[in-house]
């Protein structure tokens, strides 16, 4: 039987909630351009696949994904759908409020959309914890893999680069067209990188201007980084590491 909440009857949902010990996982991603070689839904797919494996291992309740994210800088290419952060904030708060009403008072928000979604998710989590009395954790793959990406030899975090591409190759190989990938090496930007592994990263990220995004679109179809270096084997190691960390988060919440 699927671990997803939407596949269950309400009676099955009640049993799943009891089994979960109050823990629910909410995958959140985006629908946006991911260059020539990856699908528009990449960020949501990666959040879903990590969440699915962790839910299978722990019994946590898994909600349908929030498919859309805040992606104004990717509107330069067709297919991108961007939602205002205040709308995403309110919708996610309502999801959490609904889950809490049914006894799921320990929520993990899986962010597949890198640092762009983090700010509104933090604000939403704070409101939910203060107003609803629940616990909300944010699980971000870029941050939760800091201890393994260099070991795997991955280059810096970009967009549709070798990290995302390797992960997708391991989990959704039919959606990846590596032969179409165009590299766009990332230039060093001291203090203002978006890579959590950089020691001096100030984390003061602002989405790219449309002019900057347009330049990347014209040069590489919207990619920043070197996807040509991607491979499924490292993608699987990366995926398994994320699942292991998420399982630890779930089990810690279940023990409280």
């Amino acid at each position: 039987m699927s671990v997803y909440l939407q596949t269950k009857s309400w009676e099955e949902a009640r049993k799943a909630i009891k089994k979960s010990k109050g823990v629910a996982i909410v995958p959140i991603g985006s629908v946006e351009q991911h260059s020539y070689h990856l699908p528009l839904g990449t960020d949501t797919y990666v959040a879903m696949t990590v969440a699915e494996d962790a839910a299978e291992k722990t019994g946590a309740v898994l909600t349908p994904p929030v498919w859309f994210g805040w992606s104004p800088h990717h509107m330069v290419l067709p297919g991108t759908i961007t939602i205002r952060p205040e709308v995403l904030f309110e919708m996610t708060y309502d999801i959490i409020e609904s889950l809490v009403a049914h006894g799921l008072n320990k929520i993990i928000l899986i962010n597949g959309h890198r640092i762009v979604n983090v700010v509104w998710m933090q604000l939403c989590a704070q409101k939910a914890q203060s107003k609803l009395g629940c616990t909300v954790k944010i699980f971000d793959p870029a941050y939760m893999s800091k201890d393994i990406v260099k070991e795997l030899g991955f280059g810096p975090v970009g967009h549709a680069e070798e990290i995302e591409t390797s992960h997708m190759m391991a989990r959704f190989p039919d959606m990846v067209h590596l032969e179409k990938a165009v590299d766009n090496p990332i230039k060093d930007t001291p203090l203002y990188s978006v890579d959590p592994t950089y020691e001096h990263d100030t984390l003061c990220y602002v989405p790219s201007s449309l002019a900057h995004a347009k330049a990347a679109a014209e040069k590489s179809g919207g990619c920043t980084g070197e996807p040509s270096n991607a491979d499924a084997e490292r993608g699987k190691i990366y995926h398994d590491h994320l699942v292991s960390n998420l399982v630890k988060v779930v089990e810690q919440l279940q023990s409280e």
Side-chain angles (χ1 to χ4, degrees), residues 54-72:
E56 288 275 9
K57 293 175 182 293
T58 62
V61 167
L62 180 56
T63 74
V66 176
W67 273 97
F68 305 111
W70 183 35
S71 308

Side-chain angles (χ1 to χ4, degrees), residues 31-43:
V31 174
E32 62 183 30
Q33 71 82 15
H34 269 75
S35 194
Y36 300 114
H37 63 287
L38 292 178
L40 295 164
T42 290
D43 290 348

Side-chain angles (χ1 to χ4, degrees), residues 73 76 184 187 189 207-218 222 224:
H73 48 312
V76 294
N184 182 14
K187 297 178 181 179
T189 52
S208 302
S209 66
L210 285 177
H212 184 272
K214 184 177 180 181
E218 292 174 348
T224 53

Side-chain angles (χ1 to χ4, degrees), residues 227-249:
S228 65
N229 295 328
D231 68 86
E233 183 177 350
R234 287 184 297 158
K236 183 180 186 307
I237 297 170
Y238 173 81
H239 173 81
D240 291 345
H241 181 78
L242 290 174
V243 172
S244 176
N245 278 347
L246 181 52
V247 167
K248 291 175 183 176
V249 175

Side-chain angles (χ1 to χ4, degrees), residues 1-10 12-13 16 25-27 48 52 61-67 99:
M1 179 181 292
S2 170
V3 292
Y4 278 103
L5 184 63
Q6 70 269 24
T7 67
K8 304 180 187 300
S9 69
W10 69 261
E12 291 167 338
I25 302 174
V26 184
M48 290 170 64
E52 287 166 7
V61 167
L62 180 56
T63 74
V66 176
W67 273 97
L99 295 172

Side-chain angles (χ1 to χ4, degrees), residues 29-227:
S30 70
V31 174
E32 62 183 30
Q33 71 82 15
H34 269 75
S35 194
Y36 300 114
H37 63 287
L38 292 178
L40 295 164
T42 290
D43 290 348
T44 309
Y45 286 125
V46 298
M48 290 170 64
T49 190
V50 173
E52 287 166 7
D53 281 5
E56 288 275 9
K57 293 175 182 293
T58 62
V61 167
L62 180 56
T63 74
V66 176
W67 273 97
F68 305 111
W70 183 35
S71 308
H73 48 312
H74 291 300
M75 288 296 289
V76 294
L77 290 170
T80 300
I81 297 174
T82 186
I83 305 296
R84 286 168 290 145
E86 58 268 30
V87 174
L88 291 163
F89 173 111
E90 294 294 349
M91 181 174 70
T92 303
Y93 179 85
D94 285 354
I95 292 170
I96 295 172
E97 187 174 35
S98 298
L99 295 172
V100 171
H102 298 301
L104 292 159
N105 63 347
K106 303 167 188 177
I107 315 297
I108 303 171
L109 306 177
I110 308 293
N111 175 36
H113 186 34
R114 300 281 175 76
I115 198 170
V116 191
N117 268 351
V118 169
V119 174
W120 69 259
M121 289 172 71
Q122 289 174 320
L123 294 171
C124 178
Q126 189 280 330
K127 178 181 177 180
Q129 289 192 146
S130 63
K131 298 292 186 181
L132 304 174
C134 58
T135 298
V136 183
K137 300 288 187 183
I138 297 173
F139 187 98
D140 182 280
Y143 287 91
M144 288 291 182
S145 62
K146 290 201 304 182
D147 54 348
I148 196 172
V149 289
K150 289 185 178 179
E151 177 184 324
L152 290 173
F154 284 141
V157 167
H159 183 70
E161 24 61 344
E162 62 184 295
I163 304 174
E164 284 191 308
T165 303
S166 294
H167 196 184
M168 288 293 289
M169 287 172 71
R171 304 302 293 174
F172 304 99
D174 292 345
M175 297 187 188
V176 181
H177 301 282
L178 194 60
E179 73 282 0
K180 296 182 179 181
V182 177
D183 288 350
N184 182 14
I186 296 170
K187 297 178 181 179
D188 186 29
T189 52
L191 302 183
Y192 284 95
S193 162
V194 298
D195 192 334
T197 65
Y198 283 7
E199 182 180 356
H200 301 294
D201 189 346
T202 59
L203 306 182
C204 297
Y205 176 74
V206 177
S208 302
S209 66
L210 285 177
H212 184 272
K214 184 177 180 181
E218 292 174 348
K219 183 176 182 180
S220 62
C223 170
T224 53
E226 300 179 64

